[in-house]
Amino acid sequence: MSKRNKVWLGAVAAILATLVMGALILPKSFALAALCDITDTLLLASGAAAFIPLAVRSRGRMRMFWSLIALGLTFWLGYQVFWTYYEVLLRREVPDLCIGDIVLFLHLVPLMAALALRPHAPRDEYAARLGRLDFALLLVWWFYLYVLIVMPWQYVVVNVAAYDRNLNTVYLTENIAFLAALFACWIGSKGHWRTLYAGLFGMSFCYTLGSALANWAIVRNVYYTGGFYDIPLAGSMAWITWIGLNTRAGEPQRDARETSTVYGVWVARCSMIAVFSLPLFAAWAMSDSAVSPHIRVFRLALTLAAAFLMGLLVFARQHLLDRELIHLLDQSQDSFDNLQRLQAQILQSEKLASIGQLVGGAAHELNNPITAMLGYSDMLLSTHLTAEQRPLAAKIGQYVRRTKSLVASLISFARQAPAPKSPVDLNTLARTAVKLTEPQWKALGIEVRTEFDPALPKVLGDSNQLLQVCLQLVANCLHVLNERGGRVVTVSTKSETDISIVQIATEAVPVTLSADGAAAPVDLADGLGLSACQGILHEHHGQISQERRENGAILLRVELPITQSAPVKPKDSTVPVMWQSQPYA
């Protein structure tokens, strides 16, 4: 504890000791009453001031908790200042039917609301708006209870004895309810929070006991201000300062029991109980024949007004809960959709793994005949060939090497091992894909148009694998046009922010209707080819998208990130040299 706090507590102890000595030494007099009123005012002011720094240093729910405690103590202080004003400054007794009594009664409501926040327990779903509505509902209910039971004897039919009796009964009930809430928080908390609640419980018990003793003494006409019966009350007021200066309760403990859901249910139930209690009070008011008819009418009208106001608060609370529920349902739906996408990705990965095993086995079987073909083509070039035969034999060797490279790419895909990458020109790959598929599209009578961006940035990748993607997609589009009767395919490239794009588009093709009259789906190609393309693009951190338009046209879009690294010496490319730099016409 800091030196300042020690001095502060010393001053509080001195004030309390002065009051005790005065109660034991001084006779019943104005001086004793003034001493009691002034010391009580100072003690309550000290207690309220002790909690204000806690509210200033905190945030969120913690700030609300400490602020509500300070507010309750401020109400109590305000009532004591009113009492001191009458007895010390005006030098007369406080009126029996005092309007300020309601302030003393309501000072426990902010304290109850502070406990309702349960700051010792971590809670995420209990919104601050709901806490404010619970506080408003609690305030309205207790205010209604006070007006219903106490005020009729103050304004409707004046009766001092009935007023005092009902006031003491309602105030004692409120104190017992506050003690019960403190006890529940005490046994449900740990560490510094348990110490705090234990201190508040002890202080409240001391005050409740002292208040009951004072009322007992008043009934027997042995009470006077500053007497022996005021010592427990003053002791509880001094205890508040000790609690505020010694508390070290901060943020909720991580190991605190997670009971927020159950608590939220009970808060809603208590709200319903408060609302459902109104008809019971109305029935009691109508059936109480011992009171004046004016009081019965007053109580009935008050109950109807309270029912309307509390109904609005409950409706607002339920509206907020419904919004929170809808939000949680939306989050659950999003989580379910994400789970479905994850399952689809897992299935796709398993499918790619199975395809990889199949492709790997087939590729190994193809290596032997390809190696033989490559050897025979080289032997053919070493023989005496005519001028017309030698280019054809060289082209055979180029295609065999191209096939061997593709087989190597398939083996790399099957092993799921990343291939070495270097800067690649997508214009060259797209142009090569068009050239290699030329015999196919010319035989089908299909026109292939090209629109290449000359300033297209390069991408980092494996030229053989990316060429395989281009070949597969062009072949797919040619297949669709052959099936549907289209005649034009456009291969284009362009760049956007940080990506290079290859687009393969078909013209509008006739839409085929199924037996039930619905448009038949467009089959872009076998799953093996597209799965291999998706696997390759995934390895290159790219993606492929497909768009089907209403007129039957198809757009395939391949996106690859632009390389920002320094140029890397490329490996031996299998793209024919004649197609790497010359535009296709």
Side-chain angles (χ1 to χ4, degrees), residues 85-208:
Y85 170 76
Y86 261 89
E87 290 195 336
V88 177
L89 296 182
L90 300 182
R91 295 197 175 191
R92 55 182 177 152
E93 294 289 335
V94 177
D96 291 327
L97 303 177
C98 179
I99 186 62
D101 289 338
I102 193 173
V103 178
L104 177 65
F105 176 80
L106 292 179
H107 91 273
L108 289 177
V109 176
L111 301 179
M112 291 183 181
L115 299 182
L117 291 176
R118 298 179 74 247
H120 60 276
R123 184 169 66 252
D124 296 329
E125 76 277 6
Y126 192 67
R129 288 176 294 178
L130 292 180
R132 289 192 290 268
L133 283 175
D134 289 332
F135 170 65
L137 188 62
L138 184 66
L139 177 64
V140 169
W141 191 81
W142 281 107
F143 184 80
Y144 159 77
L145 194 64
Y146 181 88
V147 176
L148 178 75
I149 298 177
V150 179
M151 280 194 171
W153 307 108
Q154 185 177 9
Y155 295 107
V156 181
V157 176
V158 178
N159 188 326
V160 176
Y163 172 85
D164 291 338
R165 182 176 61 254
N166 289 331
L167 174 62
N168 293 334
T169 301
V170 174
Y171 189 48
L172 179 61
T173 303
E174 186 183 31
N175 277 283
I176 293 175
F178 181 57
L179 280 173
L182 277 173
F183 183 76
C185 292
W186 180 18
I187 64 175
S189 58
K190 297 180 180 180
H192 298 305
W193 282 106
R194 192 179 185 91
T195 304
L196 170 66
Y197 288 132
L200 290 175
F201 180 82
M203 179 275 299
S204 181
F205 182 80
C206 181
Y207 174 77
T208 302

Side-chain angles (χ1 to χ4, degrees), residues 160-467:
V160 176
Y163 172 85
D164 291 338
R165 182 176 61 254
N166 289 331
L167 174 62
N168 293 334
T169 301
V170 174
Y171 189 48
L172 179 61
T173 303
E174 186 183 31
N175 277 283
I176 293 175
F178 181 57
L179 280 173
L182 277 173
F183 183 76
C185 292
W186 180 18
I187 64 175
S189 58
K190 297 180 180 180
H192 298 305
W193 282 106
R194 192 179 185 91
T195 304
L196 170 66
Y197 288 132
L200 290 175
F201 180 82
M203 179 275 299
S204 181
F205 182 80
C206 181
Y207 174 77
T208 302
L209 181 61
S211 179
L213 288 175
N215 290 330
W216 178 85
I218 291 173
V219 171
R220 285 158 179 77
N221 294 322
V222 295
Y223 173 83
Y224 57 91
T225 303
F228 174 78
Y229 297 102
D230 283 330
I231 294 178
L233 299 176
S236 64
M237 297 175 186
W239 199 340
I240 296 173
T241 301
W242 186 89
I243 295 173
L245 295 181
N246 283 275
T247 183
R248 291 188 291 171
E251 292 299 322
Q253 295 177 345
R254 298 301 178 187
D255 59 344
R257 289 180 292 180
E258 192 66 56
T259 57
S260 58
T261 302
V262 176
Y263 173 76
V265 172
W266 275 106
V267 167
R269 289 176 179 175
C270 290
S271 300
M272 295 300 103
I273 292 174
V275 174
F276 289 145
S277 67
L278 298 181
L280 299 179
F281 282 118
W284 168 72
M286 293 296 297
S287 61
D288 189 5
S289 59
V291 300
S292 168
H294 297 288
I295 293 180
R296 290 202 297 268
V297 173
F298 172 80
R299 286 174 170 172
L300 182 61
L302 174 67
T303 303
L304 292 176
F308 177 76
L309 180 57
M310 293 178 68
L312 290 179
L313 292 175
V314 171
F315 175 80
R317 190 182 193 283
Q318 189 61 42
H319 175 68
L320 292 177
L321 287 175
D322 290 341
R323 288 179 56 185
E324 181 68 17
L325 178 60
I326 293 174
H327 178 66
L328 292 176
L329 289 176
D330 292 340
Q331 287 184 334
S332 300
Q333 184 63 42
D334 293 339
S335 299
F336 180 73
D337 294 340
N338 293 333
L339 179 60
Q340 286 186 321
R341 284 193 290 268
L342 179 60
Q343 289 176 337
Q345 292 175 0
I346 293 175
L347 291 176
Q348 182 67 20
S349 299
E350 294 177 349
K351 181 179 179 181
L352 289 176
S354 300
I355 292 172
Q357 294 178 357
L358 175 63
V359 170
H364 282 293
E365 293 297 327
L366 289 174
N367 262 336
N368 291 333
I370 289 175
T371 301
M373 292 168 61
L374 184 58
Y376 285 123
S377 65
D378 291 340
M379 290 176 60
L380 183 61
L381 285 173
S382 64
T383 61
H384 297 288
L385 299 174
T386 64
E388 293 81 8
Q389 295 172 338
R390 183 166 293 279
L392 295 176
K395 184 170 293 188
I396 291 174
Q398 289 176 350
Y399 277 101
V400 172
R401 287 181 173 83
R402 169 68 191 148
T403 305
K404 184 176 179 64
S405 177
L406 291 177
V407 170
S409 297
L410 289 176
I411 294 175
S412 175
F413 169 74
R415 293 175 179 172
Q416 296 296 311
K421 296 179 177 62
S422 60
V424 176
D425 183 6
L426 292 181
N427 285 337
T428 299
L429 295 185
R431 190 179 296 112
T432 302
V434 172
K435 188 65 178 179
L436 291 176
T437 56
E438 181 177 0
Q440 182 180 355
W441 50 264
K442 280 191 174 182
L444 297 175
I446 296 175
E447 178 186 0
V448 177
R449 301 172 182 172
T450 58
E451 299 175 1
F452 298 144
D453 182 4
L456 185 70
K458 292 185 178 183
V459 300
L460 191 65
D462 179 82
S463 59
N464 293 322
Q465 292 183 346
L466 295 179
L467 179 58

